[in-house]
Amino acid sequence: EGEVHDWDAYVRSRLASPPPPSPTILMQERYAHDPWRLLTACALMTRISSERVKTESIAAFFSRFCSPSELLEVEPSQGATAARGELQNILKPLGLVDSRIRTLVEI
């Protein structure tokens, strides 16, 4: 009950209009079409200066976890499940892995 099966359609149905174009090229603009992706990308980018590391890690994260529902299937209280191990490996180049996972789950 209340479960969203098509996350992209759900998000797009609630957007007032496409985000306005910007003269600067920021990584956040790549994800501005989806509020969850934008907030998640911003949370993952904190304290990272390497553009390459941010780009690769965030792309890998979104290729594996396309929606909040997929991320929430990896519950921190379950210990070392295969999906949690995969998430840790994706986030490892960013550092602060446990803190980032807590932040993502709280989002």
Side-chain angles (χ1 to χ4, degrees):
E1 183 179 331
E3 190 173 318
V4 176
H5 295 285
D6 187 351
W7 184 253
D8 285 335
Y10 174 78
V11 169
R12 290 185 202 298
S13 72
R14 278 141 180 84
L15 292 177
S17 63
S22 170
T24 60
I25 300 173
L26 298 174
M27 182 180 291
Q28 293 91 324
E29 293 173 351
R30 296 179 202 163
Y31 303 107
H33 66 280
D34 181 339
W36 178 74
R37 285 181 179 242
L38 177 61
L39 187 57
T40 300
C42 289
L44 292 176
M45 284 191 277
T46 59
R47 298 183 161 207
I48 302 297
S49 59
S50 170
E51 188 72 22
R52 182 189 60 77
V53 170
K54 287 191 282 192
T55 301
E56 291 173 1
S57 298
I58 292 171
F61 175 83
F62 286 129
S63 70
R64 170 57 179 88
F65 302 99
C66 300
S67 71
S69 302
E70 290 183 27
L71 176 63
L72 290 177
E73 291 173 3
V74 182
E75 293 189 26
S77 61
Q78 291 181 348
T81 64
R84 182 168 170 80
E86 184 180 3
L87 176 58
Q88 289 172 327
N89 287 336
I90 289 170
L91 299 180
K92 188 174 183 176
L94 299 174
L96 305 168
V97 174
D98 292 331
S99 174
R100 291 186 194 280
I101 291 173
R102 276 192 306 274
T103 299
L104 293 173
V105 169
E106 289 173 4
I107 291 175

